[in-house]
PDB file of all heavy atoms in Angstrom:
ATOM      1  N   SER A 309      14.706  42.222 -63.781  1.00 75.00           N
ATOM      2  CA  SER A 309      13.661  41.205 -63.543  1.00 75.00           C
ATOM      3  C   SER A 309      13.850  40.483 -62.198  1.00 75.00           C
ATOM      4  O   SER A 309      12.890  40.289 -61.430  1.00 75.00           O
ATOM      5  CB  SER A 309      13.629  40.197 -64.680  1.00 75.00           C
ATOM      6  OG  SER A 309      14.873  39.521 -64.786  1.00 75.00           O
ATOM      7  N   TYR A 310      15.046  40.111 -61.878  1.00 77.00           N
ATOM      8  CA  TYR A 310      15.270  39.375 -60.608  1.00 77.00           C
ATOM      9  C   TYR A 310      15.015  40.252 -59.387  1.00 77.00           C
ATOM     10  O   TYR A 310      14.239  39.861 -58.493  1.00 77.00           O
ATOM     11  CB  TYR A 310      16.689  38.803 -60.581  1.00 77.00           C
ATOM     12  CG  TYR A 310      17.011  38.078 -59.307  1.00 77.00           C
ATOM     13  CD1 TYR A 310      16.472  36.818 -59.027  1.00 77.00           C
ATOM     14  CD2 TYR A 310      17.828  38.652 -58.323  1.00 77.00           C
ATOM     15  CE1 TYR A 310      16.753  36.150 -57.852  1.00 77.00           C
ATOM     16  CE2 TYR A 310      18.112  38.003 -57.142  1.00 77.00           C
ATOM     17  CZ  TYR A 310      17.570  36.753 -56.906  1.00 77.00           C
ATOM     18  OH  TYR A 310      17.836  36.099 -55.746  1.00 77.00           O
ATOM     19  N   PRO A 311      15.621  41.450 -59.302  1.00 82.00           N
ATOM     20  CA  PRO A 311      15.305  42.292 -58.122  1.00 82.00           C
ATOM     21  C   PRO A 311      13.826  42.656 -58.034  1.00 82.00           C
ATOM     22  O   PRO A 311      13.244  42.690 -56.939  1.00 82.00           O
ATOM     23  CB  PRO A 311      16.171  43.532 -58.340  1.00 82.00           C
ATOM     24  CG  PRO A 311      17.252  43.101 -59.248  1.00 82.00           C
ATOM     25  CD  PRO A 311      16.651  42.059 -60.144  1.00 82.00           C
ATOM     26  N   ALA A 312      13.201  42.910 -59.186  1.00 80.00           N
ATOM     27  CA  ALA A 312      11.774  43.259 -59.166  1.00 80.00           C
ATOM     28  C   ALA A 312      10.932  42.103 -58.661  1.00 80.00           C
ATOM     29  O   ALA A 312       9.963  42.290 -57.904  1.00 80.00           O
ATOM     30  CB  ALA A 312      11.331  43.686 -60.565  1.00 80.00           C
ATOM     31  N   LEU A 313      11.271  40.884 -59.077  1.00 78.00           N
ATOM     32  CA  LEU A 313      10.510  39.714 -58.625  1.00 78.00           C
ATOM     33  C   LEU A 313      10.670  39.497 -57.124  1.00 78.00           C
ATOM     34  O   LEU A 313       9.701  39.179 -56.416  1.00 78.00           O
ATOM     35  CB  LEU A 313      10.976  38.483 -59.405  1.00 78.00           C
ATOM     36  CG  LEU A 313      10.200  37.189 -59.124  1.00 78.00           C
ATOM     37  CD1 LEU A 313       8.726  37.351 -59.491  1.00 78.00           C
ATOM     38  CD2 LEU A 313      10.810  36.021 -59.875  1.00 78.00           C
ATOM     39  N   ILE A 314      11.888  39.673 -56.614  1.00 83.00           N
ATOM     40  CA  ILE A 314      12.120  39.513 -55.173  1.00 83.00           C
ATOM     41  C   ILE A 314      11.322  40.538 -54.377  1.00 83.00           C
ATOM     42  O   ILE A 314      10.678  40.224 -53.361  1.00 83.00           O
ATOM     43  CB  ILE A 314      13.614  39.637 -54.867  1.00 83.00           C
ATOM     44  CG1 ILE A 314      14.396  38.477 -55.509  1.00 83.00           C
ATOM     45  CG2 ILE A 314      13.843  39.647 -53.352  1.00 83.00           C
ATOM     46  CD1 ILE A 314      13.991  37.113 -55.021  1.00 83.00           C
ATOM     47  N   VAL A 315      11.329  41.791 -54.847  1.00 84.00           N
ATOM     48  CA  VAL A 315      10.575  42.841 -54.169  1.00 84.00           C
ATOM     49  C   VAL A 315       9.083  42.543 -54.212  1.00 84.00           C
ATOM     50  O   VAL A 315       8.358  42.715 -53.221  1.00 84.00           O
ATOM     51  CB  VAL A 315      10.880  44.213 -54.785  1.00 84.00           C
ATOM     52  CG1 VAL A 315       9.942  45.280 -54.203  1.00 84.00           C
ATOM     53  CG2 VAL A 315      12.325  44.598 -54.532  1.00 84.00           C
ATOM     54  N   LEU A 316       8.606  42.106 -55.374  1.00 81.00           N
ATOM     55  CA  LEU A 316       7.177  41.783 -55.513  1.00 81.00           C
ATOM     56  C   LEU A 316       6.779  40.651 -54.577  1.00 81.00           C
ATOM     57  O   LEU A 316       5.729  40.716 -53.912  1.00 81.00           O
ATOM     58  CB  LEU A 316       6.873  41.421 -56.958  1.00 81.00           C
ATOM     59  CG  LEU A 316       5.415  41.009 -57.254  1.00 81.00           C
ATOM     60  CD1 LEU A 316       4.476  42.182 -56.955  1.00 81.00           C
ATOM     61  CD2 LEU A 316       5.258  40.544 -58.700  1.00 81.00           C
ATOM     62  N   LEU A 317       7.586  39.601 -54.477  1.00 81.00           N
ATOM     63  CA  LEU A 317       7.277  38.484 -53.580  1.00 81.00           C
ATOM     64  C   LEU A 317       7.305  38.927 -52.115  1.00 81.00           C
ATOM     65  O   LEU A 317       6.442  38.527 -51.323  1.00 81.00           O
ATOM     66  CB  LEU A 317       8.273  37.344 -53.805  1.00 81.00           C
ATOM     67  CG  LEU A 317       8.141  36.571 -55.126  1.00 81.00           C
ATOM     68  CD1 LEU A 317       9.248  35.527 -55.245  1.00 81.00           C
ATOM     69  CD2 LEU A 317       6.784  35.894 -55.212  1.00 81.00           C
ATOM     70  N   ALA A 318       8.297  39.749 -51.759  1.00 86.00           N
ATOM     71  CA  ALA A 318       8.380  40.221 -50.378  1.00 86.00           C
ATOM     72  C   ALA A 318       7.175  41.073 -50.017  1.00 86.00           C
ATOM     73  O   ALA A 318       6.591  40.941 -48.934  1.00 86.00           O
ATOM     74  CB  ALA A 318       9.679  41.004 -50.177  1.00 86.00           C
ATOM     75  N   ALA A 319       6.768  41.959 -50.934  1.00 86.00           N
ATOM     76  CA  ALA A 319       5.612  42.806 -50.667  1.00 86.00           C
ATOM     77  C   ALA A 319       4.344  41.963 -50.551  1.00 86.00           C
ATOM     78  O   ALA A 319       3.474  42.224 -49.703  1.00 86.00           O
ATOM     79  CB  ALA A 319       5.469  43.847 -51.777  1.00 86.00           C
ATOM     80  N   SER A 320       4.229  40.951 -51.407  1.00 83.00           N
ATOM     81  CA  SER A 320       3.051  40.070 -51.354  1.00 83.00           C
ATOM     82  C   SER A 320       3.002  39.316 -50.026  1.00 83.00           C
ATOM     83  O   SER A 320       1.927  39.150 -49.424  1.00 83.00           O
ATOM     84  CB  SER A 320       3.072  39.084 -52.521  1.00 83.00           C
ATOM     85  OG  SER A 320       3.073  39.774 -53.749  1.00 83.00           O
ATOM     86  N   GLU A 321       4.164  38.831 -49.547  1.00 80.00           N
ATOM     87  CA  GLU A 321       4.194  38.092 -48.278  1.00 80.00           C
ATOM     88  C   GLU A 321       3.805  39.001 -47.109  1.00 80.00           C
ATOM     89  O   GLU A 321       3.064  38.603 -46.214  1.00 80.00           O
ATOM     90  CB  GLU A 321       5.593  37.513 -48.052  1.00 80.00           C
ATOM     91  CG  GLU A 321       5.981  36.407 -49.016  1.00 80.00           C
ATOM     92  CD  GLU A 321       5.109  35.173 -48.848  1.00 80.00           C
ATOM     93  OE1 GLU A 321       4.876  34.743 -47.692  1.00 80.00           O
ATOM     94  OE2 GLU A 321       4.623  34.652 -49.870  1.00 80.00           O
TER      95      GLU A 321
END
Side-chain angles (χ1 to χ4, degrees):
S309 61
Y310 178 73
L313 184 61
I314 295 299
V315 172
L316 178 62
L317 289 177
S320 301
E321 292 295 314

